[in-house]
Amino acid sequence: MKTSVIRKVLMALSGAFLMFFLLQHLLINLLSVINPDTFNEVSHFMGYNPFIQFLMQPILIFGVVFHLAMGVQLELQNNKARNIKYAKNNANANSTWMSRNMIITGGMILAFLLLHLSDFWIHEMDYKYISGLPEEAGRYWEELHHSMGNPIRVVLYVISFGLLSLHLMHGFQSAFQSVGFNHSKYTPALKKLGTAYAILIPLGFVLVALFHFFTQSH
Ligand code: HEM
């Protein structure tokens, strides 16, 4: 098998794993809209369970870095191929805007992630492992609610969720193509599922951010 094909398959598998992460992340965040106490309980469990902290979290970090590194390599490789073969390529006719700009939407999502991790994750790591503050199971909802009170942050988040939608729109469909799955009956249904996922997941995150922004008490 050619290395470019292997790379595409690995890209698809790591992308599928990240999509699964996004789904569970959204479901937990939606709890913050429905019931703050349940959100606090689940967040506390996720934050202190050794299986999540010391196995799933490192796997997630590896998955993100891996997906990013493979994406950059694929882009470089595609650029090289394009320069040689398609000097007069009519890109609009051969591919969608989203498929040609995965590296751009991906880069913007990376910028969002850096902002997002500095908002929540770094604070969390500091709280638990550096400052060693005592467990306080009820603090998560307040922290999330407070950080979504900043209008600049909320605008940046909502723009990022739009870009995430574009990235997922192409990612979901091409993942099946990359692993060689093509079926006359299931492929059209999977395309519909991919479009629904790419719209509903980012929309769910928008809802969470706006809910907290508009329900600030001061
Ligand atoms: C309104 C939208 C979002 C909110 C309110 C939110 C909230 C949070 C919170 C509170 C944490 C900290 C979890 C902890 O205690 O460690 C977190 C972690 C994280 N979030 Fe989000 N998130 C949102 C959207 C997203 C999106 C769209 C992505 C990916 C594109 C994302 C990726 C991550 C990652 C990778 C982590 C680190 C997970 C870990 O703990 O290992 N988040 N998020």
Side-chain angles (χ1 to χ4, degrees):
M1 213 195 260
K2 276 175 69 182
T3 47
S4 63
V5 179
I6 297 175
R7 265 191 211 133
K8 277 193 178 173
V9 170
L10 292 174
M11 195 69 193
L13 294 178
S14 56
F17 170 71
L18 294 177
M19 283 195 275
F20 182 75
F21 160 75
L22 267 189
L23 178 64
Q24 67 84 35
H25 193 26
L26 175 63
L27 292 178
I28 294 177
N29 284 351
L30 283 174
L31 288 176
S32 75
V33 171
I34 300 163
N35 188 328
D37 289 339
T38 316
F39 174 74
N40 278 333
E41 269 174 42
V42 175
S43 300
H44 181 72
F45 171 81
M46 297 296 277
Y48 285 88
N49 182 284
F51 171 76
I52 304 288
Q53 283 296 298
F54 304 118
L55 183 68
M56 293 316 283
Q57 186 162 269
I59 291 178
L60 174 64
I61 295 170
F62 176 79
V64 171
V65 173
F66 184 85
H67 192 73
L68 178 84
M70 282 286 138
V72 169
Q73 277 199 359
L74 268 175
E75 176 69 13
L76 293 175
Q77 174 190 307
N78 287 347
N79 280 348
K80 238 197 241 163
R82 245 174 246 148
N83 287 342
I84 301 165
K85 285 186 204 145
Y86 313 119
K88 285 186 189 158
N89 183 20
N90 180 359
N92 283 329
N94 301 333
S95 57
T96 64
W97 184 91
M98 285 165 298
S99 71
R100 276 178 279 121
N101 292 291
M102 287 304 270
I103 194 75
I104 295 174
T105 51
M108 308 282 249
I109 294 166
L110 175 66
F112 158 78
L113 259 187
L114 295 178
L115 168 72
H116 184 49
L117 295 185
S118 76
D119 276 351
F120 291 107
W121 189 70
I122 291 183
H123 162 75
E124 195 58 29
M125 293 296 111
D126 175 36
Y127 188 101
K128 286 187 296 206
Y129 303 121
I130 300 171
S131 303
L133 295 169
E135 286 189 36
E136 209 190 296
R139 69 190 160 88
Y140 302 95
W141 192 89
E142 273 305 327
E143 284 172 1
L144 168 57
H145 189 68
H146 175 76
S147 78
M148 290 299 142
N150 179 342
I152 298 173
R153 186 181 282 124
V154 172
V155 168
L156 288 176
Y157 269 47
V158 170
I159 294 172
S160 306
F161 301 150
L163 293 161
L164 178 65
S165 178
L166 294 175
H167 194 77
L168 290 171
M169 197 72 85
H170 176 73
F172 193 103
Q173 292 168 17
S174 78
F176 286 96
Q177 218 168 334
S178 296
V179 293
F181 184 86
N182 204 344
H183 190 283
S184 58
K185 192 165 144 207
Y186 299 118
T187 298
L190 277 172
K191 281 197 171 168
K192 280 198 188 119
L193 183 69
T195 307
Y197 180 98
I199 292 171
L200 293 179
I201 298 283
L203 200 61
F205 282 119
V206 169
L207 186 90
V208 173
L210 293 185
F211 168 83
H212 286 281
F213 181 71
F214 285 114
T215 55
Q216 298 283 318
S217 52
H218 45 83

